[in-house]
Amino acid sequence: MSIQIYILSKLAKESSYPYKLKKELSEPIPFDKLANLTESKLYYHFESLTKQELIEPTEIIKEENRPDKQVFAITEKGLALLPNKIYQLFEKADSLSETIVGLMNLDFADRAKIIKILEEKLRKLEKKRDHIKSLNMQVKLEGPKKEGGDFLTGYFTSRLSNESEWIDSLIEKIKSGSI
């Protein structure tokens, strides 16, 4: 989904072709490598978005001794669905790191709706953290098993608390308009 949001958001700004978008992703930071994005994956998503009628080819650029470049533009349908894809990305993400493409394209979404999604995620994380703490208190372990249980409880609650803090910080930054 992130790749499709990336493609749609880039085409919402200007028509382009797959190789150019891949090149932009790789310079100056190799995001394409970090995201394991190959040219074949990118072309697959261009084809998929075309079949969904979210983008359409607009021209073919022919250059001597070079492969033809098919230029694409976003359709009205694609422009209308882009915010929904961003909302789905935030809803389905298991961590903030999975929302990077959505965060970079908040201009295409309703920030208030993103905040509501994040607040719901925050509520669920806090509930999960509290549940893990209560389980540890309910289970009566002794010796090394108790140490192991306490260690795991600390580990998981710490991770959940850390993610909660980052989500809370993100909510504040979106509310203030700094992101």
Side-chain angles (χ1 to χ4, degrees):
M1 182 177 304
S2 291
I3 296 170
Q4 291 189 0
I5 292 170
Y6 172 73
I7 293 168
L8 290 170
S9 65
K10 291 300 246 180
L11 296 180
K13 295 173 185 167
E14 68 176 340
S15 297
S16 192
Y17 50 93
Y19 180 76
K20 181 180 178 186
L21 293 187
K22 176 137 179 11
K23 192 172 179 183
E24 287 175 5
L25 253 183
S26 66
E27 296 171 358
I29 300 169
F31 287 115
D32 59 334
K33 300 243 187 302
L34 294 172
N36 196 22
L37 179 61
T38 61
E39 273 188 67
S40 61
K41 282 183 186 177
L42 191 63
Y43 280 96
Y44 167 81
H45 285 286
F46 265 85
E47 187 177 315
S48 174
L49 290 168
T50 302
K51 286 179 182 174
Q52 296 173 61
E53 299 178 346
L54 302 181
I55 64 173
E56 62 189 2
T58 57
E59 69 176 298
I60 295 178
I61 300 172
K62 294 184 182 280
E63 294 178 359
E64 200 171 302
N65 299 324
R66 302 205 41 121
D68 292 349
K69 297 174 187 168
Q70 190 167 24
V71 178
F72 291 84
I74 194 167
T75 63
E76 289 298 320
K77 181 179 176 183
L79 205 50
L81 285 178
L82 177 55
N84 292 333
K85 286 190 173 283
I86 294 171
Y87 303 140
Q88 288 173 359
L89 176 73
F90 277 91
E91 289 166 350
K92 292 180 180 179
D94 290 325
S95 70
L96 279 182
S97 62
E98 296 174 11
T99 66
I100 292 170
V101 172
L103 286 171
M104 302 313 292
N105 291 290
L106 285 178
D107 291 343
F108 294 105
D110 177 357
R111 289 170 183 263
K113 191 166 184 171
I114 296 292
I115 289 168
K116 283 184 181 181
I117 293 168
L118 290 171
E119 287 173 339
E120 179 61 19
K121 281 201 169 299
L122 187 59
R123 189 188 65 72
K124 286 179 180 178
L125 277 174
E126 290 169 350
K127 186 176 178 182
K128 190 174 184 178
R129 184 192 63 217
D130 293 345
H131 179 69
I132 290 171
K133 283 181 181 178
S134 73
L135 281 177
N136 189 43
M137 292 171 61
Q138 292 173 13
V139 176
K140 302 296 179 204
L141 300 172
E142 295 180 13
K145 289 188 180 197
K146 179 170 180 14
E147 286 294 319
D150 291 345
F151 175 82
L152 291 173
T153 298
Y155 170 74
F156 287 114
T157 57
S158 173
R159 284 188 60 200
L160 293 169
S161 292
N162 190 32
E163 187 77 7
S164 294
E165 287 173 23
W166 281 104
I167 290 174
D168 194 42
S169 174
L170 177 59
I171 290 168
E172 292 308 312
K173 288 182 181 302
I174 293 172
K175 283 180 178 178
S176 72
S178 64
I179 288 185

